[in-house]
Amino acid sequence: MEAAAIPFAIAALCCAAFLVSFLRDRRRLRNGFYLFFALLFLGVTFIALLASVSPEAAGFVAVGVILLIIPTVLALTVFLICNGITMLRREGRRLANVLSLLTGIGICALIVFNATVTQLSWEPLDIVRGILNGLVVYFSFLFVCFLLYSIVYGRIRTEKGVDFVVVLGSGLLDGHRVPPLLAGRLNRARRVLDAEARRGGEPMVVTSGGQGPDEDLPESHAMAEHLVGNGVPRERILLEDRSRTTFENLTFSAEIMRQRKADYRCTVVTNNFHVLRAALIARRAKVNGQVIGSPTAWYFWPSATIREFVAIVVEHKYKNLVVCGLIVLSQVSRAFS
């Protein structure tokens, strides 16, 4: 029991930090780190408690968890490669569509590289292996925290009684048609409107999206026409047609909402893979509202999620560069010590 006291205390502290941070503002990336460490130390506490009753059973569980890592990594690698091939067939050859394939190939290459270095036993290559493995562990940790909190955030019910529903644009087909991905967002927004109407509310819809160089009209205009065609009164639709990025989507939409109502509350609609990053951007843009997601085709989700993670890593590039630099220095200094 004493062995479980320390991990349980750490787990309790992480849980408390998560709850406080979450209640203050759920749109914070650090909530995912608190949640990860809370679950991690709860798991350690469970094994420690089990060891106090049956050391053999605790050892069996610990070894089982470790042994599961290898088949899990192999299964993930196969899935990512197959998913990448599916993306290429269905969505075409674009960098954003091959991220899952590149990740799967990268895992294979890392496994082969580690095995090769072990056979060669050459110190310079061993240093490189240490650096690569350290970087992979670091970014894998970040990705797990990101994915964990993305799932949690995306399943939290949003506040009721909103004044506006903001729909983020995602590009048009053939310069003028709403693609299935964007149609899913608009359909989710319409469901929010219907739910608010049943409670007696009449929120306005803000369709947000400017005109790209290959588009015949602003995205927000095509989105508005789609909503009108599905029964949403035109007078309940506001157009934000200047934006080019998600940050501009939310910043310009916030200006429109504040002009209508200073103390507004809103719900922002995007796709489920984009929910957490959109929420982080909404906080930065000082938007008073939470983000919800619409369903995405299963084959599209892995590459899109990886793309969102990469975008967040780039947005925090200086912090990540510092950590990566420390990983490199630790391996180089170990080699010369």
Side-chain angles (χ1 to χ4, degrees):
M1 295 294 289
E2 293 182 359
I6 294 177
F8 179 75
I10 297 175
L13 184 63
C14 291
C15 283
F18 170 74
L19 289 173
V20 170
S21 181
F22 179 84
L23 292 174
R24 291 185 64 181
D25 193 339
R26 70 181 72 166
R27 304 171 301 175
R28 285 184 175 273
L29 191 59
R30 67 187 185 192
N31 295 342
F33 295 98
Y34 294 143
L35 183 59
F36 172 84
F37 284 113
L39 294 175
L40 174 65
F41 283 101
L42 281 175
V44 174
T45 302
F46 170 76
I47 293 177
L49 289 172
L50 186 61
S52 66
V53 178
S54 173
E56 294 80 10
F60 178 79
V61 171
V63 171
V65 170
I66 294 172
L67 291 178
L68 276 175
I69 294 175
I70 295 176
T72 300
V73 170
L74 293 177
L76 177 63
T77 303
V78 172
F79 169 76
L80 289 172
I81 292 174
C82 292
N83 175 258
I85 295 172
T86 301
M87 280 289 290
L88 285 174
R89 288 175 176 172
R90 298 194 182 187
E91 300 293 331
R93 298 181 180 180
R94 293 172 51 232
L95 178 60
N97 295 337
V98 298
L99 291 178
S100 58
L101 177 62
L102 292 176
T103 303
I105 293 174
I107 295 173
C108 287
L110 184 65
I111 293 172
V112 172
F113 179 75
N114 274 285
T116 302
V117 172
T118 301
Q119 292 295 322
L120 294 176
S121 299
W122 188 38
E123 187 174 3
L125 273 181
D126 194 53
I127 296 173
V128 174
R129 177 174 64 174
I131 292 172
L132 284 178
N133 288 339
L135 293 175
V136 168
V137 169
Y138 171 64
F139 286 109
S140 297
F141 160 71
L142 293 182
F143 182 76
V144 169
C145 293
F146 161 76
L147 184 62
L148 174 65
Y149 193 56
S150 291
I151 294 171
V152 171
Y153 182 88
R155 280 160 176 72
I156 298 170
R157 296 181 67 87
T158 57
E159 297 177 352
K160 300 176 182 178
V162 296
D163 305 296
F164 299 93
V165 179
V166 181
V167 189
L168 303 182
S170 65
L172 301 176
L173 284 176
D174 302 324
H176 65 278
R177 292 192 296 118
V178 171
L181 195 75
L182 184 52
R185 300 183 184 186
L186 294 166
N187 292 337
R188 181 67 193 275
R190 189 166 54 84
R191 291 197 295 273
V192 174
L193 291 178
D194 293 341
E196 289 294 329
R198 288 193 293 271
R199 288 189 286 267
E202 292 186 351
M204 303 285 288
V205 183
V206 181
T207 55
S208 181
Q211 184 173 353
D214 57 346
E215 294 175 339
D216 302 326
L217 73 167
E219 293 174 28
S220 57
H221 293 210
M223 293 159 68
E225 291 302 321
H226 181 92
L227 287 173
V228 170
N230 283 272
V232 178
R234 188 177 295 275
E235 61 270 16
R236 291 181 62 186
I237 302 174
L238 302 172
L239 304 177
E240 183 288 296
D241 55 10
R242 296 183 293 153
S243 57
R244 296 291 184 272
T245 65
T246 301
F247 182 76
E248 290 183 352
N249 283 144
L250 293 164
T251 300
F252 298 154
S253 295
E255 291 177 3
I256 292 173
M257 291 185 287
R258 277 194 293 267
Q259 288 172 1
R260 291 265 176 166
K261 186 176 181 180
D263 58 344
Y264 73 90
R265 291 197 307 169
C266 73
T267 291
V268 179
V269 182
T270 184
N271 283 90
N272 51 13
F273 62 82
H274 187 230
V275 163
L276 182 54
R277 190 163 77 92
L280 301 177
I281 296 172
R283 181 178 179 275
R284 188 152 47 94
K286 295 180 171 50
V287 172
N288 185 22
Q290 301 297 335
V291 184
I292 61 174
S294 61
T296 305
W298 68 269
Y299 68 87
F300 196 88
W301 190 84
S303 280
T305 301
I306 294 171
R307 184 184 66 203
E308 293 299 304
F309 172 69
V310 171
I312 289 179
V313 168
V314 172
E315 287 169 2
H316 297 82
K317 55 183 175 292
Y318 296 115
K319 294 178 182 178
N320 289 313
L321 283 173
V322 169
V323 175
C324 291
L326 291 174
I327 291 172
V328 173
L329 287 175
S330 68
Q331 293 300 317
V332 172
S333 61
R334 184 176 63 85
F336 288 99
S337 61

